Amino acid sequence: MNCAYLAFTAKGLALAQQLAQTCPGSVSRCGLGGVTLAGWTAQQFAAADALVFVGAAGIAVRAIAPHCQSKATDPAVVVLDECGRFAVPLLSGHLGGANDLACRLAAACGAVPVITTATDANGLFAVDEWAKKQNCAVWETPRIKFVSGALLAGKTVRYASPWAIAGTPPAGVAEAEEPSGADFALTMTPQGNALHLIPRIGVLGVGCKRGTTAAQLEAAFAAFCADTNLASVGITAAASIDLKQNEPGLLEFCRSHGWPVSFYSAAQLRAVPGTFSVSRFVQGVTGVDNVCERAAVLASGGTLLLPKYAHTGVTFAAAVRPFAPDWRWKTDEA
């Protein structure tokens, strides 16, 4: 986690420097070197994974208030008093990791972590914290409250997953008899009214004509996601044939999404085991009968999730890496 510390006094600065030895990050003191509260907060809110204020909670609240947007995107914010007595997560306790960070910082200086989220206070399963632990994105953050609210009301919540989840479900959590009856679900293709948790395990296989622009690829990808219900946040990488490794449009498309892209020779793609869509035209041009499916599977080291999809001269397929979720979710669990 990329932390940014801001202190207001010499004593607070010493504590911030101590804490940075455990949870690394930049350390600044307000008023020194041109550092201002407003400027520092604006910069770090956009750049850091976590903001740690060593000072009064009220100062931190006023500083971050103009920047708060969503629990899905806001960084973690933690406050410690300059004596190191209490560590208080203020923002993004679960998805942003503020609760976990507060506990780590508290352990580093002997403080008391002050955790106020309702599920934690009641010792209940926190679905959003579990999602983070399992490297999943939350697709519909407003629905978190329905799962947490049911648990707080003493009800049982039901889950669905195409992947076996190791371990014993937490108290109040049970498997749904049918996926349609789930309150939350692990999936790459969300549908229905459940809270959907998207594993970040997807690889996008890409085939395209020479000269295809990034805009054309973006439009085709939007259509692919819409027609297959693919949650784009689950895609973490892309792959294609080496004939496309210098295509500016493809490189820009992948760069804009932050995806590393792998390129393979026709021989490497032909060697991928499995049953794939066959195109004589693609075979004649590239030397392999299918690019997008084979590239996705090869790059993922896993299995094909969505087969070849064609749109305006672009082909996509999606594969998933091996995924082994378990029921760990608490901070102190390995």
Side-chain angles (χ1 to χ4, degrees):
M1 180 176 281
N2 171 28
C3 296
Y5 296 84
L6 183 66
F8 301 90
T9 65
K11 187 173 184 178
L13 182 62
L15 177 57
Q17 291 168 337
Q18 175 190 342
L19 296 172
Q21 298 300 311
T22 298
C23 299
S26 63
V27 179
S28 302
R29 179 176 173 182
C30 194
L32 292 183
V35 175
T36 65
L37 177 61
W40 181 90
T41 304
Q43 178 183 2
Q44 300 302 338
F45 207 93
D49 297 321
L51 282 67
V52 181
F53 292 85
V54 182
I59 294 175
V61 170
R62 293 180 188 279
I64 67 173
H67 306 286
C68 298
Q69 297 293 325
S70 164
K71 66 168 61 185
T73 57
D74 290 342
V77 178
V78 177
V79 175
L80 289 94
D81 63 282
E82 66 174 35
C83 293
R85 296 176 61 201
F86 301 100
V88 187
L90 292 182
L91 192 68
S92 295
H94 289 155
L95 289 179
N99 286 1
D100 182 47
L101 178 60
C103 291
R104 292 169 60 198
L105 294 173
C109 65
V112 176
V114 183
I115 310 299
T116 59
T117 41
T119 49
D120 297 274
N122 286 276
L124 297 173
F125 175 68
V127 67
D128 44 352
E129 188 170 3
W130 179 70
K132 182 178 178 66
K133 189 89 171 183
Q134 302 302 317
N135 192 30
C136 293
V138 178
W139 193 237
E140 313 94 346
T141 52
R143 297 183 187 177
I144 294 171
K145 63 185 178 184
F146 298 116
V147 175
S148 297
L151 288 166
L152 289 166
K155 299 178 181 178
T156 297
V157 297
R158 306 284 174 177
Y159 74 90
S161 172
W163 299 276
I165 305 177
T168 303
V173 178
E175 187 171 8
E177 293 184 4
E178 298 291 338
S180 60
D183 298 295
F184 68 96
L186 291 175
T187 181
M188 295 290 291
T189 52
Q191 300 178 65
N193 297 318
L195 170 65
H196 296 105
L197 312 178
I198 315 300
R200 294 185 177 94
I201 57 173
V203 176
L204 185 70
V206 186
C208 62
K209 296 178 181 178
R210 180 180 299 174
T212 300
T213 66
Q216 290 171 318
L217 284 158
E218 198 64 62
F221 182 61
F224 178 48
C225 292
D227 290 344
T228 63
N229 294 309
L230 176 67
S232 58
V233 72
I235 299 297
T236 60
S240 190
I241 193 167
D242 58 5
L243 296 173
K244 306 300 177 184
Q245 62 186 339
N246 295 315
E247 283 289 329
L250 176 57
L251 296 176
E252 176 57 31
F253 169 64
C254 293
R255 189 180 303 114
S256 68
H257 285 276
W259 299 331
V261 56
S262 302
F263 295 99
Y264 302 103
S265 68
Q268 288 175 302
L269 294 177
R270 286 196 303 268
V272 178
T275 302
F276 303 102
S277 304
V278 175
S279 169
R280 292 182 179 178
F281 174 77
V282 172
Q283 174 79 49
V285 173
T286 67
V288 61
D289 58 8
N290 183 294
V291 169
C292 60
E293 292 179 356
R294 290 178 177 274
V297 171
L298 180 56
S300 71
T303 57
L304 188 66
L305 173 72
L306 296 172
K308 177 181 174 180
Y309 174 91
H311 183 88
T312 60
V314 175
T315 59
F316 288 125
V320 290
R321 298 187 180 93
F323 181 49
D326 57 55
W327 284 113
R328 292 177 297 172
W329 62 279
K330 294 182 180 179
T331 300
D332 58 357
E333 293 176 319

